[in-house]
Amino acid sequence: MPYKRIIAFGDSFTRGDELADCPAVSDEHPLAHSNHTWPAMIAKTLRIEYDCRATGGRGNQYISNLVNRRIEFEKPCLFIVNWTYFGRFDFIDHNDRWSTICPGSEDEIGRNYYKNFDNDIWNLHRNLQIIHSVLSLLEANKIDFIFTCHDLAFKATIDTLRHDCPSAARDHWHKSIQILSKLIVPKIIEFEGLTFTDWAIKYSYPIGPGGHPLEKAHAEAAKYINTIITKESQNEY
């Protein structure tokens, strides 16, 4: 299908933090981004428009909200959704403003959440539900997509997380998680079984001080994703 544009969603890795051409985000330019990320380079290869909706430091609930708001955008488009770390938690405050807390947060809300409420099984189940919701909407609206994920937790199972827990509890979570995993895991493209960052480290591509892969990694990732799509025709592109 000939696309008019690529719309990319994700966090700072999709925005292109630490790439030389990535401008600073400001109130005037809230969606400032690099044009040398691998989604942008795929758009360039296809000679189509590139629309980046990535926001640094956000979680998957926030990302899903952005995707949902673009579902009715002019078609045909290719959506690239780079899901982020499962430990991040998005919420809306009493003023209807989005906030996100991440592991290692120093503010009171973050410290309280990760001390008293954070749970890896809940994170897995919650994020799989979020991804499944977006997957269902994209497929229902016949929108082609590429999914990747910065967190290999998307492949986790109850056995890897709680191999020593009582069988009744394990069986409960196994059924709940497995039904989602069967639908989602095959739809996420990995970089030779790794996350984008781990793949960049494997091949010694430069990484910025903030942990973001730099231009060489993005250029190679664009080639890799194009090759995977061409060979496997994944997700019916």
Side-chain angles (χ1 to χ4, degrees):
M1 177 186 294
Y3 304 113
K4 292 184 177 180
R5 63 181 55 81
I6 284 176
I7 309 179
F9 307 86
D11 59 9
S12 57
F13 292 86
T14 306
R15 186 173 64 195
D17 283 27
E18 299 193 84
L19 299 185
D21 74 322
C22 190
V25 174
S26 65
D27 291 338
E28 293 183 2
H29 302 285
L31 294 175
H33 63 273
S34 167
N35 287 309
H36 289 94
T37 59
W38 66 260
M41 297 183 77
I42 290 177
K44 184 177 180 180
T45 298
L46 296 176
R47 298 181 180 180
I48 58 178
E49 297 175 21
Y50 179 60
D51 183 1
C52 181
R53 298 275 131 182
T55 304
R58 295 297 193 181
N60 288 328
Q61 185 73 64
Y62 184 86
I63 292 171
S64 73
N65 180 265
L66 293 182
V67 177
N68 293 351
R69 286 157 50 188
R70 306 294 285 184
I71 290 290
E72 297 300 325
F73 199 76
E74 183 182 357
K75 303 172 185 177
C77 296
L78 173 64
F79 279 37
I80 296 180
V81 186
N82 297 314
W83 300 105
T84 190
Y85 301 104
F86 281 20
R88 294 179 178 178
F89 184 73
D90 304 302
F91 61 95
I92 298 177
D93 64 21
H94 294 302
N95 295 312
D96 297 330
R97 294 176 302 192
W98 281 94
S99 295
T100 303
I101 53 177
C102 305
S105 296
E106 295 299 326
D107 60 278
E108 183 178 354
I109 294 176
R111 288 197 302 270
N112 182 58
Y113 176 82
Y114 288 104
K115 178 181 179 180
N116 298 300
F117 301 105
D118 185 47
N119 181 286
D120 54 359
I121 295 177
W122 168 240
N123 287 341
L124 174 59
H125 190 266
R126 172 174 59 86
N127 282 277
L128 290 179
Q129 286 181 314
I130 291 168
I131 296 172
H132 179 259
S133 173
V134 171
L135 170 66
S136 299
L137 284 172
L138 293 176
E139 290 184 336
N141 285 275
K142 296 180 173 57
I143 297 174
D144 289 347
F145 62 89
I146 294 172
F147 280 179
T148 72
C149 189
H150 293 312
D151 194 335
L152 289 181
F154 81 90
K155 297 190 295 184
T157 67
I158 187 60
D159 289 326
T160 60
L161 295 178
R162 294 288 189 279
H163 66 278
D164 57 349
C165 74
S167 59
R170 188 167 63 249
D171 185 58
H172 163 79
W173 281 110
H174 171 73
K175 291 178 179 178
S176 182
I177 291 170
Q178 184 184 50
I179 195 169
L180 291 167
S181 295
K182 284 183 176 180
L183 295 171
I184 293 166
V185 171
K187 298 294 186 178
I188 294 181
I189 295 177
E190 298 179 76
F191 294 83
E192 299 179 25
L194 301 171
T195 66
F196 173 44
T197 300
D198 289 340
W199 179 77
I201 293 171
K202 175 183 177 180
Y203 287 103
S204 300
Y205 300 140
I207 305 290
H212 299 88
L214 301 181
E215 283 83 357
K216 176 63 174 177
H218 281 276
E220 295 300 323
K223 296 176 186 177
Y224 177 85
I225 293 292
N226 274 325
T227 300
I228 291 295
I229 293 170
T230 301
K231 287 184 177 180
E232 299 184 6
S233 296
Q234 187 159 343
N235 299 335
E236 300 180 358
Y237 308 132

